[in-house]
Amino acid sequence: MKDIQIQNKEWLTPKQLEAEFGITIGTQNKMRLRKNYENEQSIPFAKVGKRILYLRSDINEWLLSLRQGVK
């Protein structure tokens, strides 16, 4: 599937997420499937047709929730 760059800075495509946060597209695919398993935090995303999009603020909150050793 051809990746279109989103001009809206609030939303990211999988390629933009990989470039900005270093989460590979393969890892993103696996993390989206985590919602099917108990006690696994899936990466927050929106699906519009065949396109996957990530809301930047959701990704930031999700990453903060994954921190270890923080009181």
Side-chain angles (χ1 to χ4, degrees):
M1 180 182 350
K2 186 178 177 182
D3 188 58
I4 306 282
Q5 295 297 310
I6 302 296
Q7 299 303 317
N8 182 332
K9 300 217 184 285
E10 297 292 319
W11 291 93
L12 301 165
T13 65
K15 282 189 178 182
Q16 289 171 318
L17 183 71
E18 181 178 38
E20 189 168 326
F21 289 88
I23 304 170
T24 66
I25 292 174
T27 299
Q28 293 173 40
N29 294 338
K30 290 176 190 173
M31 291 177 149
R32 284 196 307 270
L33 294 175
R34 284 184 173 181
K35 68 180 180 183
N36 298 323
Y37 301 100
E38 289 184 34
N39 300 325
E40 293 285 339
Q41 279 192 296
S42 65
I43 191 169
F45 69 98
K47 188 169 184 181
V48 181
K50 293 182 179 181
R51 182 165 298 153
I52 300 293
L53 296 172
Y54 300 98
L55 186 60
R56 182 183 305 278
S57 61
D58 286 348
I59 296 301
N60 286 326
E61 287 178 31
W62 175 74
L63 287 170
L64 287 172
S65 75
L66 296 176
R67 293 186 298 171
Q68 301 284 324
V70 177
K71 293 182 182 179

